[in-house]
Structures are given as C-alpha cells and as structure tokens.
Amino acid sequence: MIVGTVREIKNHEYRVGLTPESVHELTAHGHSILVETGAGEGIGAHDALYEKAGAQIVSGAEEIFASADMIVKVKEPQPQERAMLRPGQILYTYLHLAPDPEQARDLIASGATCIAYETVTDVNGGLPLLKPMSQVAGRMSIQAGATALEKAHGGRGVLLGGVPGVLPAKVAVIGGGVVGFNAAQMAAGLGADVTILDRDPQVLERLGTHFEARAKTRFSNRANLAECVADADLVIGAVLIPGAAAPKLVTAAMLGTMKKGAVLVDVAIDQGGCFETSHATTHDEPTYVVDGIVHYCVANMPGAVARTSTYALNNVTLPHTLRIADLGWKDAMRRDPHLLAGLNIWEGQVTYAAVAQALGLPFRPAQDAIG
C-alpha cells in the first residue's frame, strides 16, 4: 500500500501523523511511504531522517493526496485538504465530526473511507487512540489555567498552590475520565484545592481511592456543579461522550455567579465544548473574556508539545496503521471490531451513530461496509 503523511496546516499544529520510526516499521512490511517535505520539522524530525527510514520526500501535499492509498494525519483535514480526497481513499486521523457539519459534508461528498482515531475502542470499552492526547490535554489544562489566572493574562492573580499563610486556588474538574484524572493529578501536585465531579459512582470511588486527601470528589448533579463552579478559581471542562457533541454543562447564567477573573479551560472544545459560552480558539489567541470570566478553548492543545504528543500518538495508532496497510481496511475491520468502531464515513454515508444523530444525518451501520 502507498501510505502518505502531510504537513499539518491547522493553526500552530506541529504534530505529524507518522514519525520516522513508524515509517521504518511500515517500509519493513513492504509498504511505500510518501512524506511531505517539512512534515516532521515540528518534532525535530527532518526530511533526512524520513529518507533514512525509507520514505520518499514529496514537495507538496497535492502529490500525496493524488498518489496515496491511505492518508495518515493528526488533526481533521482542513477545507483545502478535504477537496483533494477521492473515492475509496482511506483517511486515518482525528475527525471530531459531531460539532463540525461542514467537515462532515465535505467528507461525505469526497467518497473517502474515513476512520476516526477518537472512536476506535478497546476490549475494556476505552478509547485507546484518544487516551494519550487526553492525558496530554489534561495535564496541559492546568498549565494553561495557571497562566490564564495570572493578572497580566486577565485572571484573578491567584497562584494555584498558594504559599504559606495564603490559601491555594480552588480547582473544579468536571469529568473524572482520562482528561479529568490527569488534570486533577497535576493540580493536586501543585498544591491546589481540587474537587472532581462525575456522575459514575464507580469513577468517584476509584478517584477517591487514588487521591485520598489530595483531592475531593462530588457527584455531578446540577446543584453540586453550580456550587463548585461558583466557588472555583479554575474550572476544567473534561467531559466526553464518545463521538458525540459535548453537553453544555456550564451555562452562560452560571458565569454571573463566578469570581471575576476566574478561568474556564474547555478541553471538550474538539467536541463542541461543555461550556455554553465556549468557542474554539487557537494558540495564537488562546483566551477571551465573557462576563469577566477568562475562557481558554484551544482546540489542539497537544499541538503545543508536539514531540511528546506525536510519539505518544504513534505508539497507539501505528498497530492499526500496519493492519490496515497489510490487510486492507475491510479485512482489518472484519478481524477487529474495535477498529470497525472507528469507521465514521464510508461511500458518502455516516457509519457512526452518535455523529449521525448530532448532525441530523442518515445512519448506515458500519457492519454494512465490511459485508
């Protein structure tokens, strides 16, 4: 199979779909790899490293889209990239389609076979290709929130961990999954006063056992959520419904109950955000203020730590990349129902139920695609 990876063109996106080490694995399996020149510069992987691994360096994305059987990326294809996709071509990347009807429409029109990292599952019901980026984003959310809390950045002027004689900041983490756990771990490590909210009693029990006295847990109902948000200096939105749009848990009205200069970090922004007042921002302009509350809603947070993120991502995406290339996507999915869960669009049809429901589009079961 001819496998191609291109330079990411989303704002301040420095990750790359394939590392030189991944290229070496693919070429060892007999596949031809096309890499756009400069694609790995953001992680310190220069063209010569890719050539040494067996890749052919190509001057532009157009040639790769025209020649490759499978495109391996990191972020969702941008409009000019979607225009180059063709029927039957495999696109393997993060898609986050539920809050993005324009992208969904373009992918449907392309006729490409679109596999989303974020909906591939594992035997435990987890999302293994999303997990490493959730770990990165959860940890980064505290760094970003701590910076936004500084007075020079519009915040309250509060140090997360406080100092002797001065109370630490109060951090509310909404959602106790991978993002929430990693955010709480970082915040607690800095000495903040951390509360984690979740609706699953088993999750709350697990978090309570892990953190003991270093963080508090609360059941996430409307009253508890409103109280924690009003009391917090920093709120982390870490809610995920696989493949679906995130629920709007923090309403615009709640902002009026918060301390002026408090910070909201919406890690769920890739799925539309879990704060009613959220809209996607970029690393160029990461924050904005609504009713005196600082909002940080960068949609590709892990792109800022591109080397860490790229290698963590390739660790989990490469095994499926190899199976798709070795067997073809249909046979690979016949053998692995967890990979089948990643199929979002096939032959102009939406094959992931939560995406179809969110966008009001017809649904075709993914099983139909593999016969």
Side-chain angles (χ1 to χ4, degrees), residues 239-252:
V239 179
L240 174 68
I241 300 174
K248 306 297 184 185
L249 297 181
V250 176
T251 66

Side-chain angles (χ1 to χ4, degrees), residues 8-15 74-76 78 94 96 133 136-137 140 266-270 280-284 286 296-306 309:
E8 297 289 327
I9 57 175
K10 190 166 185 169
N11 180 278
H12 283 288
E13 182 52 70
Y14 303 107
R15 291 172 289 179
V74 177
K75 290 305 292 178
E76 72 279 0
Q78 301 303 292
Y94 286 118
H96 299 292
M133 296 304 94
V136 170
M140 285 190 68
D266 198 341
V267 188
I269 194 64
D270 272 329
T281 61
T282 68
H283 289 290
D284 272 340
Y296 179 101
C297 304
V298 174
N300 60 327
M301 290 175 67
V305 287
S309 298

Side-chain angles (χ1 to χ4, degrees), residues 1-5 18 23 26-35 54-56 68-70 325:
M1 184 177 284
I2 302 174
V3 180
T5 198
L18 294 172
V23 167
L26 284 158
T27 56
H29 281 238
H31 304 295
S32 300
I33 313 301
L34 306 178
V35 175
Q56 177 186 341
D69 303 303
M70 174 166 60

Side-chain angles (χ1 to χ4, degrees), residues 80-166:
Q80 59 267 50
E81 295 174 316
R82 301 196 294 262
M84 293 187 283
L85 288 166
R86 64 180 192 274
Q89 191 170 45
I90 303 163
L91 174 66
Y92 182 46
T93 188
Y94 286 118
L95 293 175
H96 299 292
L97 290 171
D100 194 349
E102 182 179 347
Q103 183 197 177
R105 182 173 61 247
D106 289 349
L107 295 183
I108 288 168
S110 74
T113 298
C114 304
I115 305 167
Y117 293 159
E118 71 272 11
T119 63
V120 173
T121 57
D122 62 21
V123 293
N124 299 313
L127 303 171
L129 309 196
L130 186 61
K131 184 176 181 178
M133 296 304 94
S134 296
Q135 292 170 327
V136 170
R139 296 180 182 209
M140 285 190 68
S141 70
I142 300 302
Q143 295 180 193
T147 300
L149 271 172
E150 295 174 10
K151 194 66 178 177
H153 293 104
R156 298 191 69 226
V158 174
L159 182 66
L160 275 189
V163 292
V166 181

Side-chain angles (χ1 to χ4, degrees), residues 290-343:
V290 178
D291 291 344
I293 308 304
V294 181
H295 292 57
Y296 179 101
C297 304
V298 174
N300 60 327
M301 290 175 67
V305 287
R307 186 172 178 85
T308 297
S309 298
T310 295
Y311 277 93
L313 182 61
N314 270 241
N315 288 344
V316 293
T317 57
L318 179 62
H320 289 304
T321 307
L322 286 168
R323 279 191 284 272
I324 294 168
D326 289 348
L327 303 171
W329 68 269
K330 285 188 178 183
D331 201 16
M333 289 184 180
R334 288 188 188 107
R335 299 186 187 198
D336 185 353
H338 301 294
L339 178 59
L340 179 62
L343 186 64

Side-chain angles (χ1 to χ4, degrees), residues 209-296:
T209 300
H210 176 85
F211 285 103
E212 297 181 325
R214 295 182 298 124
K216 300 181 287 290
T217 60
R218 292 191 74 176
F219 184 78
S220 185
N221 56 33
R222 287 181 174 84
N224 289 346
L225 179 63
E227 182 180 329
C228 288
V229 167
D231 201 31
D233 299 292
L234 171 61
V235 179
I236 306 297
V239 179
L240 174 68
I241 300 174
K248 306 297 184 185
L249 297 181
V250 176
T251 66
M254 287 183 184
L255 301 191
T257 71
M258 297 180 69
K259 307 166 187 174
K260 297 303 179 186
V263 175
L264 300 176
V265 177
D266 198 341
V267 188
I269 194 64
D270 272 329
Q271 294 294 133
C274 61
F275 307 141
E276 190 177 10
T277 47
S278 290
H279 63 75
T281 61
T282 68
H283 289 290
D284 272 340
E285 296 183 33
T287 64
Y288 60 93
V289 178
V290 178
D291 291 344
I293 308 304
V294 181
H295 292 57
Y296 179 101

